[in-house]
Amino acid sequence: MSLLSKYINRQLAAYQSELVQTHYQEVENMYRQIRGWRHDYRNHIQVLKSYAKDGDLAQISKYLDELDEDLSTVDTVIKTGNKMTDAILNSKISLAKAKHIPVVADAHVPVALKTSEMDLCIIIGNLFDNAIEASLQLPEEKRMIRIYMDMKNTQLYMSFTNFTATKKQKKISGRFHTTKGQGHGFGLVRIDDIVERYGGYLSRNSEDGAFTTEILLPQE
């Protein structure tokens, strides 16, 4: 193995480790918020009982609206059946919402997959991070990320689409150009390597105003 190959492998390994750690931290932050809300549950009930005792329906309504808004920030919006997929998708959806990026997601994933949890984490995390980064270049009213995941016969199908501020992108040496720096480049390479290792299929399509990545991973 050449020195360049060894260097690239070390960089990829370091990036992979950092990426996975970041995803798990995002998940932990989300569940910490949930635990905090549950901890305050009794206090919320006492406040509502006090308003009810006084017959103050207006304050009850206002307080419930505030609770609803607070809870929506930590709500688990995706339940695919696969715990790792749920954790990664929900953490990223929560992050996107915090950045004022609407997400439309439809995901159905089996409990058991041939694809390892780490590989799934790397693929979904990178695709979502790329979509968020591109969306932040747009005005809030034009932002949107669409996600679809489901089984197609014996293969797991993933599709990530986001609107972009650029027109149709051109490929350079077979790849779409990235302006995000070295880490982002390693993320794309890592996805390509994982798909190739599983004997899967990957397609990146850039059209005016939208960028779509489609992946098929065999599960037999």
Side-chain angles (χ1 to χ4, degrees), residues 1 5 17-18 38 57 67 76 91 93 96 113 130 134 136 143 145 168 179 189 198 206 219:
M1 184 180 291
S5 295
S17 176
E18 180 182 353
R38 286 177 175 174
L57 296 180
L67 286 178
T76 302
S91 69
I93 289 173
L113 291 171
N130 295 346
L136 290 175
R143 297 174 184 176
I145 296 174
K168 184 174 181 178
T179 59
V189 170
Y198 284 96
S206 174
Q219 298 303 313

Side-chain angles (χ1 to χ4, degrees), residues 131 133-139 142-143 162-169 207-211:
E133 183 69 20
S135 297
L136 290 175
Q137 308 304 315
L138 294 169
K142 294 186 177 181
R143 297 174 184 176
N162 59 273
F163 296 114
T164 66
T166 58
K167 294 184 178 180
K168 184 174 181 178
Q169 300 179 39
E207 297 294 339
D208 288 351
F211 189 90

Side-chain angles (χ1 to χ4, degrees), residues 6-206:
K6 290 181 179 179
Y7 169 76
I8 292 176
N9 285 339
R10 285 198 301 269
Q11 290 294 99
L12 284 172
Y15 175 69
Q16 172 182 320
S17 176
E18 180 182 353
L19 183 67
V20 171
Q21 182 61 33
T22 298
H23 294 335
Y24 276 110
Q25 287 175 352
E26 289 171 353
V27 173
E28 177 59 30
N29 288 337
M30 182 180 66
Y31 285 111
R32 187 181 297 115
Q33 286 181 297
I34 293 174
R35 289 194 297 271
W37 196 93
R38 286 177 175 174
H39 177 74
D40 293 335
Y41 180 79
R42 184 175 296 276
N43 291 333
H44 294 318
I45 292 298
Q46 294 301 319
V47 171
L48 289 171
K49 281 185 174 180
S50 175
Y51 288 143
K53 184 179 179 180
D54 295 337
D56 195 340
L57 296 180
Q59 282 296 330
I60 290 176
S61 178
K62 179 181 178 183
Y63 198 82
L64 287 174
D65 286 342
E66 292 174 354
L67 286 178
D68 183 55
E69 181 178 352
D70 183 49
L71 184 58
S72 68
T73 64
V74 295
D75 188 28
T76 302
V77 295
I78 294 294
K79 294 181 180 179
T80 67
N82 182 281
K83 291 183 179 180
M84 172 55 71
T85 305
D86 289 351
I88 296 303
L89 283 178
N90 284 304
S91 69
K92 292 300 182 181
I93 289 173
S94 177
L95 177 64
K97 286 185 176 180
K99 296 179 179 293
H100 307 289
I101 304 171
V103 178
V104 177
D106 183 8
H108 309 275
V109 182
V111 174
L113 291 171
K114 176 183 176 182
T115 308
S116 76
E117 289 187 344
M118 179 173 289
D119 289 338
L120 199 60
C121 170
I122 291 170
I123 291 174
I124 295 175
N126 269 290
L127 291 176
F128 223 129
D129 286 343
N130 295 346
I132 289 175
E133 183 69 20
S135 297
L136 290 175
Q137 308 304 315
L138 294 169
E140 289 188 15
E141 65 273 12
K142 294 186 177 181
R143 297 174 184 176
M144 176 67 73
I145 296 174
R146 289 196 179 97
I147 303 161
Y148 180 76
M149 297 179 66
D150 204 350
M151 291 297 296
K152 289 188 177 293
N153 296 320
T154 60
Q155 300 193 83
L156 176 63
Y157 173 76
M158 288 179 273
S159 173
F160 277 67
T161 299
N162 59 273
F163 296 114
T164 66
T166 58
K167 294 184 178 180
K168 184 174 181 178
Q169 300 179 39
K170 295 182 179 180
K171 289 185 178 180
I172 300 176
S173 300
R175 296 182 185 275
F176 287 105
H177 179 60
T178 174
T179 59
K180 284 182 60 181
Q182 188 181 42
H184 182 64
F186 279 126
L188 296 179
V189 170
R190 198 72 185 95
I191 292 176
D192 293 351
D193 288 346
I194 291 171
V195 173
E196 182 178 356
R197 174 155 42 86
Y198 284 96
Y201 167 83
L202 185 149
S203 171
R204 296 185 178 100
N205 184 37
S206 174

